[in-house]
Amino acid sequence: LPTVVGSTLVWLSKTEHVQFNSRALWVCVVLNPHCKSEEKSSWLRQLRRWGDMDVCPLEDGNYGSELPNITNALPQSNLSQDSLARPRRTVFSRAVEACDLHWQDSHLQRIISSEHYTSPSYQREGESLLFSPQGLPLWLDHVPTACARVDALRSHGYSREALRLAVAIINTLRLQQHRQMDIYRHQKKDLLQKGVTSITNLEGWVGHPLDPVGCLFTTLTETCRVDEDQFQFFTGFHRPLEGDPRPPVYHHVPVWGSSDGGESYLTLALEVALMGMGQQRIMPEGLYAQDKVCRNEEQIVSKLQELELDPLLVQTLRKQTVQLLEGAAGPFSGLGEVIHRESVPMHTFAKYLFSALLPHDADLAYKVALRAMRLPVLESSAGSGDVGHPHHGISIVPSRYPRWFTLGHLESQQCELASTMLTAAKGDMLRLRTVLEAIQKNIHSSSLIFKLAQDAFKIATPADSPSDITLLNVALELGLQVMRMTLSTLNWRRREMVRLAVCTCATEVCMRALVSILQSWYTLFTPTEATSIVAATVMSHNTILRLSLDYPQREELASCARTLALQCAMKDPQNCALSALTLCEKDHIAFETAYQIVIDAASTGMTYSQLFTIARYMEHRGYPLRSFKLASLAMTHLNLAYNQDTHPAINDVLWACALSHSLGKNELAAIIPLVVKSVQCATVLSDILRRCTMTAPGLAGIPGRRNSGKLMSTDKAPLRQLLDATISAYINTTHSRLTHISPRHYGEFIEFLSKARETFLLAQDGHIQFAQFIDNLKQIYKGKKKLMMLVRERFG
């Protein structure tokens, strides 16, 4: 073994995989059955010296509570005091403790030295605790410590001895499980009434530093593994020498002295793995410890998946699963009827059990998978009314439990288990309904339910075969569940979720599903979503073709969509009015109702840009007078300052004036006072004035309307008011610009005055007014000599 120095310890502290293995390694070293006392003393001194180093990695990897308070200035909470009160455990602590273990126990020596060791016919006092009722030897040591002995025997070349001790440990676990069953039978009534239980296994075997489950499983399966010669004998083929992707092959090796004649080391390996994985255990503290639990669980499952399940293994699998579900519930089994709030979830383990049991016992497979769907740590945070009734949306998203750092991974495993059940239950309406209710009750993440809805839809609509309507209904139910959960919360995938529920699922199911969604839209969608996505999708030509609707069905669907549109317009006219008008185009009464909603909301709840948009739509649909009314209402909400000559509403103002000009003199006379009141920008006013003087009003108006064909004079109403406002705007803007003008803007200012002169000249005495205006500028701003010189050169 290499000598470990300080620098190596620093490397160990940064290498999680080495941390995980180094503990078991040093325990194996000090548990050498033939290690001399002086050698063990030397190891003990060395291990303690390494453990006392500051750089020595901690056992649980939870460094946050162990860091010393260097400045002694920070107050310490009760939690930190508790952490400091606990002994500091490093990766060598278990090896130090293992130095106190020995192999001199006579019972232990008999176990590992002979397969034929059984209970004597005459037992002395205390020997009844050393054997099972069947007379098989037991080893009552702490389970991880006992497994560490097995690992030490294997590591030092005593494979047969390790196997015998492993069998004795399993006999002990069986007896303990039987006693736990008896205890639970007496406690079952109280536990089910209270709905609360305790956990007896505070230190779980899965994720344990000594890996007891993996140790026993490996020890037992190594005996049953088929080597190259045996593989050729059984199959008639040679294995490839390198790069063999196939898993190892095992065969049954009988266990001597077993009460069950069909029992083998392979069935024992499966049984002990199921015992360890199904053990109810508390979630450990710290990210490293929790991550280790997840990784160790996945490692054990991958080993279990290498076993080819024959009738003997299936029998063991079913028997142990039933015991986990019914017999060893309460404080002992993670699959019991009542589990502790902070017990480690069984999702990964249950997914393996479900896949393994499904071909042989479907009822048991679904029972264990549905039982394992629970995640109690989140259930206590959710609203009881929402969680208890699967058909109502969960309006309150459960809070993330802060101590569970791997909660996201656990929830994803829960989702994988649900998806596996949905796939297997395709076509079975009763099972699908049961799985759906379990999903709605136990999964609290809207994103994961959305993923399940996508998975269900994909499975239900294969490319090469007809759609499965039962699974499509499940996908729709899940989609609607997501709609309820995210209705009042922000979710960046919300639009995609809406399209899945309506455009994808509901349109694949049937017309009644769409009608139901339209009638209950307010529990699923915002008004904007309901009009812009839902109703628009329902009314689309593609939906009609996909559902093969006849005329009465199309009319029923359209009527529901129009009712939805009007309801949304009433609730949110700013965002839904235009969509409501579009959806109600083909129904005169509904269209008039939508228009009146817009008019009623125009004075209070709508902006000028929304009203201009609807006004343009009305003109496009052939309602110029209604368009003019809406444009006039929009002008009352607008305020265009003198320096906003690039404002986005300018084009709308020009369009509104052009519309009123095309309708006639009366409409133009009505819009100009609104323009004068709302617009102070001189260039915009002059542009409007120029356009109004180019043609006579009403020439592009309503067909059949009589128009004079005469150009309007700027000296008479209504253009006189517009002209005066434009001149006044030029004067005010000029003074504003001259207040802080710089020499580099002189040329631009001279061009601005040229445009102003063009507007002044539209008046009868415009040349006189402009001359007086220039003279005033020369007097007021005579200090700006260079600028005034440029003014004289251009305007005299």
Side-chain angles (χ1 to χ4, degrees), residues 6 47 59 117 119 239 319 398 603 608 650 691:
L47 290 169
E59 182 176 70
Y117 177 48
S119 172
R239 278 184 178 276
K319 176 183 175 182
S603 59
Y608 65 84
I650 290 175
R691 295 183 185 207

Side-chain angles (χ1 to χ4, degrees), residues 92 114 175 353 401 427 435 453 473 606 755 771:
F92 300 111
S114 174
L175 183 62
L353 290 178
Y401 195 63
V435 175
N473 277 299
M606 302 189 73
K755 292 180 181 180

Side-chain angles (χ1 to χ4, degrees), residues 34-47:
H34 293 291
C35 183
K36 297 178 182 179
S37 58
E38 56 269 19
E39 292 177 333
K40 185 175 289 190
S41 299
S42 175
W43 279 121
L44 181 59
R45 289 192 300 271
Q46 186 67 53
L47 290 169

Side-chain angles (χ1 to χ4, degrees), residues 443-649:
I443 297 184
H444 304 290
S445 167
S446 59
S447 299
L448 292 178
I449 296 181
F450 177 55
K451 180 182 182 302
L452 286 173
Q454 290 177 310
D455 292 345
F457 181 80
K458 187 181 298 183
I459 299 166
T461 54
D464 54 351
S465 59
S467 299
D468 184 88
I469 190 63
T470 57
L471 200 51
L472 271 176
N473 277 299
V474 170
L476 176 60
E477 285 286 340
L478 292 173
L480 297 181
Q481 177 78 359
V482 173
M483 293 296 95
R484 298 186 189 100
M485 293 175 70
T486 59
L487 179 59
S488 58
T489 58
L490 296 176
N491 193 302
W492 65 275
R493 301 186 70 183
R494 173 76 183 177
R495 190 175 184 86
E496 185 183 356
M497 293 172 176
V498 174
R499 292 193 177 278
L500 172 76
V502 181
C503 311
T504 306
C505 295
T507 52
E508 283 286 342
V509 174
C510 65
M511 173 192 158
R512 304 318 308 174
L514 289 175
V515 171
S516 176
I517 288 175
L518 292 175
Q519 291 175 344
S520 59
W521 69 268
Y522 47 86
T523 64
L524 303 169
F525 314 104
T526 64
T528 305
E529 292 169 344
T531 53
S532 63
I533 303 177
V534 179
T537 300
V538 170
M539 298 281 282
S540 68
H541 186 63
N542 289 336
T543 301
I544 295 173
L545 290 178
R546 183 181 299 179
L547 294 174
S548 302
L549 302 179
D550 55 24
Y551 181 76
Q553 290 175 324
R554 291 200 299 269
E555 283 302 303
E556 180 184 1
L557 209 56
S559 176
C560 291
R562 287 192 291 267
T563 302
L564 174 149
L566 293 176
Q567 292 172 347
C568 293
M570 286 288 291
K571 192 168 185 178
D572 187 5
Q574 298 93 330
N575 298 312
C576 301
L578 181 59
S579 297
L581 288 167
T582 305
L583 292 167
C584 296
E585 283 178 353
K586 297 181 180 180
D587 186 280
H588 177 70
I589 297 176
F591 187 81
E592 291 295 325
T593 304
Y595 174 70
Q596 192 58 46
I597 291 173
V598 175
I599 296 299
D600 294 341
S603 59
T604 55
M606 302 189 73
T607 64
Y608 65 84
S609 60
Q610 293 166 341
L611 289 170
F612 274 130
T613 302
I614 298 174
R616 287 177 180 268
Y617 162 78
M618 282 294 186
E619 184 196 30
H620 177 71
R621 299 305 303 170
Y623 299 101
L625 292 177
R626 293 184 176 186
S627 177
F628 169 75
K629 184 175 182 178
L630 290 170
S632 301
L633 291 171
M635 289 298 300
T636 62
H637 294 279
L638 179 65
N639 184 21
L640 208 64
Y642 74 94
N643 58 348
Q644 292 182 301
D645 51 359
T646 59
H647 195 279

